[in-house]
Structure formats: structure tokens, C-alpha cells
Amino acid sequence: MDAFVIHGGQRLRGRVRIQGSKNAALPLMTVAILTDDEVVLHDVPRLTDVDNLASLLNTLGCRVRQGEGNGPDHGQTLHLRVEDPTADTAEYDIVRRMRATFNVLGPMLARRGKAVVSMPGGCNIGDRPVDLHLRGLRALGARIELDGGYIHATVPESGRLRGARVFLGGSMGPTVTGTANVMSAATLAEGTTILESAACEPEIVDLADLLNRMGARIGGAGTPRLTIEGVESLHGAEHAVIADRIEAGTYIMAAAVTNGDVVIDNCPVDALTAALDRLVEIGIEITPVESPLDRSGAVATGPASGMGQSVRVASRRRLNPITVTTQPHPGFPTDLQAQIMVLLAVADGNSIITEKIFPDRFLHVAELLRMGASLVRNGSSVLISGVRELIGAPVMASDLRASAGLVLAGLGARGVTTINRVYHLDRGYEKMEVNLQNLGARIERVKRPAV
Ligand code: EPU
């Protein structure tokens, strides 16, 4: 099992390019099931989550192959095409590894009339139910039963789902992958579907963009009300995945925690408004700079490239304490909560973080305490009293974003930090240690016996 060994205290300097978004790429891959034609995706990040979903799609008769195109810094191009539309079961062995695999349910149901998908189960960041996914699909007329840990879903006798008005909000707000699942299914339904309280995340907008390219008629993406006029069939399309806002936020904070000076290329600033607001309040300088030439030879700057700008991040003094509340987009993303906690742990005063998406997503707290942070958890909030410095220690990665937080802590800490179980990081960050080495960090990947 791999571990990272980090010698902290090196100021990060240089440039890093942000990869395609994991959470956009995964649902984009699943909608290849909706057509017999080829779907081509560019800028797909090289991540274990992507590999796992590709394996699942292969078992479902949708062949995923790597294409030419995209250089080493630009992710991979994937070609997806259904070769055998008869497979209908997404097995537990793959679905349990990552929840995004549950998003094959809507496309399979809509296109094949039937789907058997393992219930995903809980994970380290909380219970994570799928009741809203099922509520939405039931509203479209699907018959859904749970048997032996599997969801068995079938379309009505007419052979097609039917459009409906669906309220998709839950007690914790909208659901991102639930919106993706129901929206994808509704593209092939008979009649019009209106999804109220839909997720507004940029990844949903990206998915709607691809589906519309495939011939779907989706309006309102990025707002809480989606209108989907069902069509008879969808065709193939080619699409480039948006840049990963969470990776960008993570590298911005890596620069800040080391008092570094880093240019982040392909930064989706338009998708990071709330995070940038908080980071500027903390005292980080974030300024737009000229981007390198893009593939067509043009300089990608200006408002049109708000999803792929270059920004310079600099931080030269102690950070200010602030309050942060995670919320659905456009609020502060839960996927950056662990990382900002690390910055606040060394800020000059007391801060409060409140988690409103996953109230138990605090596994990093115990590990940060081992590094000398002063944190008190009270329910879904953590009170943070800034300390002068963190001190390196052996710590355990527990989930993807908690692990990213621990890497930041190690980069900023005095001494050596060993992070065990970095396979969590490989699910969502492509070559993280290489990127950080290129920025001057002393970080290496080592093989460790399992702990
Ligand atoms: N919820 C329900 N019922 C449902 C679905 C969700 O009550 O049927 C609740 C959840 O328990 C949670 C809230 O609604 O309290 C929001 O969950 P959501 O469904 O939006 O989360 P998700 O779609 O399962 C995606 C990302 C997560 C990210 C969340 C929130 C993907 C593949 N995953 O999960 O990403 O934290 O949205 O923004 O897109 C990560 O990348 O590390 C990650 C965990």
C-alpha cells in the first residue's frame, strides 16, 4: 500500500495545470449507455475512479477504449460505444468501490428498459442514501424494488419512462448525482420532465451540455429548475470535460499553506466563486495572469475562458481567521472543507467551519490533532484556534478530500509527515505528488506494508 512522505516547510513556486473534473467525467461516461453511437470524451483525468467506472461500463456492454489525442498534461481521450445492450446488472463488487457507479441506473433504465444495480452502501463521509435518485425515477414511472441488496428497476408497460414534475430536494438540499441520474433518464422519456430543486453544480451543467450535444433537450442547467423535453433517441457526440474546481481549490490552498507563489493554469474561476471569496478573506492574493497558449494557439484569457483561466496565488503572511459554511453550489463546496480547515488551523485567531452537506465529514480532525492543530468538534461544526505551526506526524488518509487536507498539512508543517493509505488520493488527484514535486515540494511516494 502506498504512502506519501512529506518533508514540510518548502515554499511552493511554479505552475501547475488543472486536470479535467472527476465529478464531471464520471456521469459523462455513464450517458454513453443512452446511445448506440460513439461518445468521445476529451480531458478525462487519469484516476482510479475513472478506471473503475470504465470496468463497470465494459461489463455492461459499453466498450471504453483510450484514444489518441490529449498530451500528457491534458488527461486522456476516451471512446465509449455500446456493443452489447443486453447486459443489465451492475454488480456489487464494482459498485461498492465508488458511489458514482450508481449513475448507470438512469441511463440503463431509460435505454434498455431494465436495470439491476447494486445499492452502493455507506462510505467514510456518511450514510449517503440514494432515496432521492429512486424518488425521481419512480416519478418518471419506473417500478423499483430492492431485493438482495440490488435495485431492480423497470420502465412502465408502455416501454418508456414518462415525463413528470419531480421535486428532487431532500433534507440536506439537492443531490448532485441524483440530479444527474434522473436528468439522464428523462432525456428519453415520453413528454416533458421538470426537475425542481435540481443541483446547480457545474458538473450538472457539463452533463447537460453533453446530453444536448447528443440530441437531448435540456433547459435551465445551472439553475434549480431543469426542463427536459424527452426525445425518441440520442446520437453520439464529442465533448471536453470541464476543469476540476476541487483540484484547483486544493492547489490554491497548497500554495497558500506554504506561503508560496504559484500560477494555476486551467483554473475554473467561474465555478469557484464562493471558495475564492473565502480564500481572499483569509488573506491570499489571487490575481488573473496571462494563460499559456491553448491547443489552437490562442491565448485563453478573458471572461469566455472563466472555466479555464490562469491565476497567480501568493500568500506571504499569517492568514486571517474566518467562518466557512459548506453549502450546495454556488456555496462553499464540501469537497474543499478539509483543505480549508488546514489553512485555518494555522491562521491568526479563531475560525468556525460548519458542514451542511455531510455533517459527519470530519475524519481529518483526529489526524490534524496529531499534528498539533487546535480543533474542537461540536456536531456539524468545528471550532479552530489557529496555532503558529503544525508539526509533522504519521497520519492516516481516510477519504479522498480528508487525504488532500492531510497533504496540505504535511506541506505546511515543520518536520516529516507520513500519510498512509494514499490510494484514496489516487481516486481523485492525478499525479499529485509529481505536480507538487514540480512546484518544489519534498514529497515522495513509498511502498508501505498495509496498516
Ligand atoms: N442525499 C440524500 N438522498 C439522496 C442523495 C443525497 O439524502 O438520495 C443527501 C446526502 O446524504 C448529502 C446531500 O444529500 O447530505 C448531498 O449529497 P449528494 O447526493 O449531492 O452527493 P453525491 O451526489 O453523492 C457528489 C460528489 C461528492 C460531493 C457531493 C456534494 C460525485 C461523484 N460526488 O456526491 O464528491 O461531495 O456531490 O457536493 O459527483 C468527492 O469528490 O470527494 C465527493 C465526495
Side-chain angles (χ1 to χ4, degrees):
M1 210 172 276
D2 291 1
F4 280 169
V5 178
I6 304 173
H7 292 257
Q10 308 296 314
R11 286 187 158 189
L12 299 191
R13 286 175 200 284
R15 282 187 109 109
V16 60
R17 185 183 190 278
I18 299 308
Q19 71 193 15
S21 159
K22 166 181 85 82
N23 288 346
L26 298 172
L28 291 174
M29 290 169 69
T30 66
V31 300
I33 293 174
L34 288 168
T35 174
D36 292 341
D37 297 344
E38 186 171 77
V39 171
V40 181
L41 297 177
H42 301 289
D43 292 339
V44 180
R46 297 180 180 89
L47 302 169
T48 49
D49 271 12
V50 168
D51 296 343
N52 279 330
L53 180 57
S55 304
L56 177 66
L57 290 172
N58 279 320
T59 70
L60 295 174
C62 177
R63 178 149 182 259
V64 183
R65 75 179 167 81
Q66 265 184 329
E68 302 292 311
N70 284 175
D73 295 336
H74 291 67
Q76 55 191 331
T77 293
L78 294 184
H79 295 251
L80 302 99
R81 184 194 279 272
V82 171
E83 289 182 347
D84 171 15
T86 58
D88 62 13
T89 304
E91 300 286 353
Y92 173 67
D93 257 5
I94 299 190
V95 175
R96 75 180 164 79
R97 286 187 224 156
M98 51 178 287
R99 296 178 51 84
T101 49
F102 196 68
N103 274 59
V104 297
L105 176 60
M108 295 245 295
L109 183 61
R111 179 69 183 142
R112 302 182 183 181
K114 182 179 173 206
V116 182
V117 180
S118 169
M119 280 285 278
C123 74
N124 288 344
I125 66 175
D127 294 339
R128 304 188 75 187
V130 289
D131 57 311
L132 298 171
H133 299 233
L134 303 184
R135 185 210 287 179
L137 295 173
R138 279 199 178 102
L140 301 183
R143 280 189 306 261
I144 295 183
E145 279 164 24
L146 175 66
D147 187 20
Y150 283 77
I151 295 292
H152 295 251
T154 44
V155 292
E157 264 151 36
S158 67
R160 264 178 96 182
L161 296 170
R162 47 173 190 268
R165 195 179 196 107
V166 188
F167 179 74
L168 257 198
S171 55
M172 305 304 287
T175 162
V176 182
T177 50
T179 300
N181 229 339
V182 182
M183 175 172 85
S184 306
T187 57
L188 290 182
E190 205 173 342
T192 301
T193 298
I194 296 180
L195 294 187
E196 300 279 9
S197 196
C200 302
E201 268 67 4
E203 295 77 21
I204 296 294
V205 178
D206 203 34
L207 179 62
D209 276 354
L210 171 61
L211 287 167
N212 283 341
R213 265 172 221 216
M214 293 167 69
R217 297 208 192 120
I218 301 172
T223 77
R225 175 185 286 182
L226 293 176
T227 306
I228 305 143
E229 285 174 50
V231 295
E232 296 263 331
S233 64
L234 296 176
H235 49 75
E238 198 166 338
H239 181 82
V241 181
I242 54 168
D244 195 310
R245 62 195 168 105
I246 305 303
E247 192 198 28
T250 303
Y251 282 115
I252 291 174
M253 291 196 247
V257 80
T258 63
N259 281 338
D261 189 343
V262 171
V263 173
I264 317 269
D265 291 318
N266 199 31
C267 179
V269 286
D270 283 359
L272 275 167
T273 323
L276 295 180
D277 174 76
R278 297 290 73 199
L279 293 172
V280 168
E281 186 81 12
I282 286 182
I284 304 174
E285 290 167 34
I286 302 173
T287 40
V289 293
E290 192 158 297
S291 297
L293 298 184
D294 69 15
R295 271 171 275 168
S296 65
V299 176
T301 52
S305 63
M307 289 300 285
Q309 274 188 327
S310 293
V311 293
R312 179 174 172 199
V313 180
S315 146
R316 287 185 202 85
R317 56 191 174 87
R318 282 210 71 188
L319 302 168
N320 307 317
I322 55 161
T323 57
V324 179
T325 303
T326 67
Q327 283 171 328
H329 192 76
F332 188 92
T334 173
D335 291 343
L336 287 175
Q337 181 255 110
Q339 299 90 317
I340 202 163
M341 187 179 291
V342 173
L343 291 190
L344 297 178
V346 290
D348 199 10
N350 298 332
S351 302
I352 298 180
I353 293 183
T354 303
E355 176 55 75
K356 291 221 165 158
I357 308 288
F358 297 115
D360 291 319
R361 193 178 201 177
F362 288 123
L363 285 168
H364 41 287
V365 167
E367 303 303 306
L368 292 175
L369 289 174
R370 306 191 69 247
M371 298 180 71
S374 173
L375 313 170
V376 179
R377 180 177 169 192
N378 183 7
S380 59
S381 293
V382 174
L383 174 66
I384 303 151
S385 307
V387 294
R388 277 222 75 81
E389 63 176 1
L390 296 174
I391 306 153
V395 289
M396 183 87 81
S398 52
D399 78 74
L400 169 56
R401 308 303 172 184
S403 314
L406 294 178
V407 171
L408 267 48
L411 292 172
R414 172 165 57 85
V416 181
T417 298
T418 305
I419 303 175
N420 292 300
R421 302 194 175 191
V422 297
Y423 61 84
H424 289 291
L425 275 165
D426 297 331
R427 292 188 41 217
Y429 293 88
E430 186 177 320
K431 295 185 298 181
M432 188 183 213
E433 76 279 23
V434 177
N435 281 340
L436 290 170
Q437 282 161 2
N438 289 340
L439 294 174
R442 287 180 64 199
I443 177 170
E444 57 175 333
R445 183 183 286 260
V446 297
K447 298 273 173 218
R448 278 284 150 91
V451 279

